[in-house]
Amino acid sequence: MHEILQRIESLAFPSVALIHGYCLGGGLELALACDYRVARDDMDTRLGFPEVRLGIFPGFGGTVRSIRAAGPLRALPLMLSGRAINGRQAKRMGLIDHAVPARQLRNAARQLIATRPHPHRAGLLQRLPGALPLRPLVAAYMQHELRKKVRPEHYPAPYALLRHWLRHAGSARGLYHSEAREVARLLTSDNAQQLIRVLLLQDRLKGMGDRKAFRPRHVHVVGGGIMGRRHRRLVRPARHAGDPAGP
């Protein structure tokens, strides 16, 4: 995958990724390999790196290209959290070039191809936290914040990502090699296999539900606030013929 995406990145003509809907994980890594990225500006468009939830971290060059575009203080938290952001947030971070309404998506791409601006890169101040003197301090702070949310024995991937960046951030080549090695190691670990199993079970459980067949029989409002005080009672919908009597 590194070789494939590097071939896209090295194309002799400009490449533009048009992003609408979900652009997560490998999809975002593919988009980052293009010269330009234009996302649709609506809530249905989501970008992010959810890999840590599966016990790994971006392994198709994403740790190189996302940090190169947005800087470590923006890109690392996105990868460490696994959260998804919308087009406007991605534009502010520097991950994409434009966030536009659907009707302007192709026109924005054509404009980029016609003008061929220099591909976006993080500015000097955004890159500064990745410099060798500051990098250990930044990594230590992020690890401290990370420990408040997840334990390394349960979710080792975000901690491995921080070590990966701390050791190799000074060299793109080193980051690529470390990605291939570390992601392969994490993927075959028991943690990752169990997290992947949980994801598959969740998808299976969602598929078993039939929303049309769902008929609530009782509604309870619990709470001591305004809603709880006003509606603290048992609400029973009208029973249909053949329904067993309620309590």
Side-chain angles (χ1 to χ4, degrees):
M1 285 304 301
H2 282 170
E3 293 176 1
I4 292 171
L5 295 189
Q6 283 171 355
R7 288 179 64 184
I8 294 174
E9 191 175 48
S10 303
L11 290 172
F13 49 84
S15 55
V16 185
L18 299 183
I19 301 170
H20 53 90
Y22 288 95
C23 183
L24 305 172
L28 181 53
E29 295 190 85
L30 171 60
L32 286 167
C34 297
D35 293 318
Y36 312 109
R37 289 158 294 284
V38 181
R40 198 167 65 186
D41 183 15
D42 56 39
M43 292 309 297
D44 291 330
T45 297
R46 310 295 291 174
L47 302 91
F49 295 107
E51 286 89 344
V52 292
R53 298 182 181 182
L54 298 180
I56 58 176
F57 60 79
F60 297 162
T63 63
V64 182
R65 296 187 179 96
S66 64
I67 293 174
R68 186 172 62 194
L73 292 186
R74 293 176 175 177
L76 282 172
L78 186 65
M79 290 185 280
L80 290 170
S81 66
R83 67 188 181 95
I85 58 177
N86 60 36
R88 291 187 183 183
Q89 292 171 315
K91 173 65 173 66
R92 288 196 295 267
M93 287 181 61
L95 286 178
I96 65 174
D97 297 276
H98 298 298
V100 298
R103 65 181 182 276
Q104 298 177 8
L105 197 64
R106 292 185 178 275
N107 288 336
R110 293 188 182 101
Q111 181 67 17
L112 287 168
I113 293 173
T115 57
R116 296 195 182 190
H118 193 276
H120 176 78
R121 298 289 184 268
L124 177 60
L125 290 179
Q126 293 172 325
R127 299 196 308 269
L128 192 59
L132 185 57
L134 296 179
R135 200 186 312 154
L137 298 176
V138 173
Y141 172 76
M142 288 189 176
Q143 181 168 300
H144 174 73
E145 293 299 307
L146 190 60
R147 284 185 178 275
K148 297 178 182 179
K149 301 174 182 178
V150 294
R151 296 168 60 178
E153 60 268 27
H154 294 160
Y155 287 90
Y159 295 92
L161 171 59
L162 280 178
R163 291 193 301 270
H164 155 79
W165 174 74
L166 176 61
R167 295 170 182 171
H168 304 285
S171 166
R173 183 180 179 87
L175 284 173
Y176 282 124
H177 283 294
S178 177
E179 260 191 12
R181 181 176 60 253
E182 288 299 305
V183 172
R185 180 183 65 81
L186 289 168
L187 185 60
T188 56
S189 69
D190 184 65
N191 294 78
Q193 293 301 309
Q194 294 301 326
L195 287 170
I196 292 171
R197 178 174 177 271
V198 169
L199 176 67
L200 295 176
L201 289 174
Q202 288 175 337
D203 288 342
R204 181 181 175 186
L205 184 62
K206 291 175 184 177
M208 294 171 64
D210 186 352
R211 294 184 180 181
K212 294 181 180 179
F214 176 66
R215 296 171 60 189
R217 294 183 53 82
H218 300 89
V219 178
H220 295 266
V221 179
V222 180
I226 294 175
M227 294 299 292
R229 287 198 300 269
R230 293 182 61 185
H231 304 286
R232 191 181 301 157
R233 62 189 178 89
L234 176 64
V235 182
R236 290 195 180 109
R239 291 199 297 270
H240 298 277
D243 284 348

